[in-house]
Amino acid sequence: MAVDQRPRPVVLSIAGLDPSSGAGMTADLKVFAAHGLYGIGCVTALTVQSTQGVRRSEGVDAGLVRETLACLDEDFEIAGVKVGMLGTGAVAAAVAEWLEGWKRRVPAGALVVDPVLVSSSGHALLDEDGVAVLRKRLLPLATVVTPNLPELARLLGGEPQSMEQGARQLLEGIKAPTHQAVVVTGGHRKESETPDDYVLESGSAVGAWVRGEWVHTKATHGTGCAYASAMLCGLVAGQSVMEAAACAKTYVAEALRRAYPVGRGRGPMHHLFALAVRAG
Ligand code: PLP
């Protein structure tokens, strides 16, 4: 069998570390691998958590984040970046500073910002200073912003009337200098509705829905991280925002369907369901 040794795009995850690997950095790297991309990472925060929830989180030193990003940037041609949990305002500012430079040098580079604010178990994953940096400096740089419904409400300062209205208000409020999209993910919709995502691109009078179906499983920890990482993989592969949104939705649904039991709580989805290699 011929070995494929062609170079592949390198994608960077800037995220927190979840030692149970359902969410955060290690989960993002699995998603990148599942899409055939080489993933590198800059850890922003350490969390103490398992499938049973987050017990504690500590932002890493902002200087370490700055140095890590500079070090990776010297060595790799970074094709795209996903930003997840940032932890603190100091770390968020270090990330913003690096991203502003990267965006100037690589204007076509895809940037997906997942505004991670609170874990499903109720633990704050970004402090107030961090939320301010996210709003002012990070959201305007993003190619795509991927809030879920609670994150959208928090960013808007109140519940939107609808996903469409909330997406419009967020997009108009960000005032990004370049083309941008907001994708509101539907995993927190009512059980009586379907978990559809709403995609709104700047310059468009109306957005579009990506239809979903509920997958009944406990393995929902880290779905937001996986969705945003899969979205980045699509964009780096040259897909449009709509195509990447549809592929990311399909990937997450399949990874949820194929999940196998891990831990006693809300387990991880099966990020690597397409991998055939098995130990033993
Ligand atoms: N831990 C880290 C490092 C995360 O990035 C996230 C979400 O993005 C979470 C925990 C929370 O994941 P969930 O709310 O799906 O349990």
Side-chain angles (χ1 to χ4, degrees):
M1 197 171 67
V3 180
D4 183 1
Q5 291 182 312
R6 283 171 298 178
R8 297 176 186 208
V10 172
V11 278
L12 168 66
S13 164
I14 301 176
L17 190 78
D18 163 11
S20 70
S21 284
M25 170 68 56
T26 45
D28 290 350
L29 296 182
K30 288 190 273 184
V31 177
F32 296 156
H35 288 80
L37 301 182
Y38 189 81
I40 55 177
C42 174
V43 174
T44 54
L46 300 179
T47 67
V48 177
Q49 70 177 299
S50 67
T51 63
Q52 295 178 300
V54 180
R55 291 187 189 170
R56 180 177 166 189
S57 65
E58 286 283 337
V60 308
D61 173 67
L64 202 60
V65 168
R66 208 172 287 116
E67 281 180 51
T68 302
L69 291 170
C71 174
L72 293 173
D73 201 3
E74 276 170 32
D75 193 31
F76 297 96
E77 259 180 51
I78 299 167
V81 181
K82 183 226 140 163
V83 174
M85 176 185 176
L86 291 163
T88 65
V91 167
V95 169
E97 191 184 307
W98 178 78
L99 278 172
E100 284 155 4
W102 177 72
K103 267 287 177 187
R104 268 195 301 276
R105 283 180 287 113
V106 189
L111 172 62
V112 177
V113 176
D114 183 20
V116 174
L117 302 174
V118 181
S119 75
S120 309
S121 54
H123 190 94
L125 299 175
L126 185 61
D127 66 16
E128 281 306 320
D129 291 351
V131 176
V133 175
L134 179 71
R135 277 182 208 283
K136 272 199 217 104
R137 295 178 66 185
L138 291 168
L139 296 184
L141 296 173
T143 318
V144 181
V145 184
T146 60
N148 59 29
L149 279 166
E151 289 161 350
L152 180 66
R154 174 91 185 278
L155 289 171
L156 296 178
E159 294 281 332
Q161 285 156 13
S162 63
M163 280 168 78
E164 294 99 312
Q165 181 271 324
R168 167 86 46 207
Q169 195 182 331
L170 183 66
L171 190 67
E172 289 177 355
I174 296 172
K175 295 193 189 76
T178 52
H179 184 79
Q180 182 175 68
V182 166
V183 180
V184 183
T185 56
H188 289 75
R189 295 184 88 192
K190 293 189 213 101
E191 279 280 340
S192 56
E193 298 168 333
T194 45
D196 307 335
D197 303 333
Y198 184 71
V199 183
L200 182 66
E201 298 193 55
S202 49
S204 304
V206 284
W209 289 94
V210 179
R211 301 287 166 200
E213 274 174 41
W214 292 112
V215 179
H216 295 285
T217 173
K218 270 203 321 180
T220 56
H221 172 46
T223 36
C225 299
Y227 179 83
S229 297
M231 159 76 71
L232 177 67
C233 293
L235 296 176
V236 164
Q239 292 181 339
S240 67
V241 170
M242 263 319 282
E243 286 165 344
C247 286
K249 183 93 178 152
T250 305
Y251 168 77
V252 170
E254 195 56 21
L256 285 168
R257 255 180 235 118
R258 307 263 201 124
Y260 51 89
V262 174
R264 295 186 171 83
R266 285 174 54 244
M269 63 189 89
H270 188 1
H271 299 92
L272 292 169
F273 63 82
L275 256 195
V277 183
R278 272 175 189 272

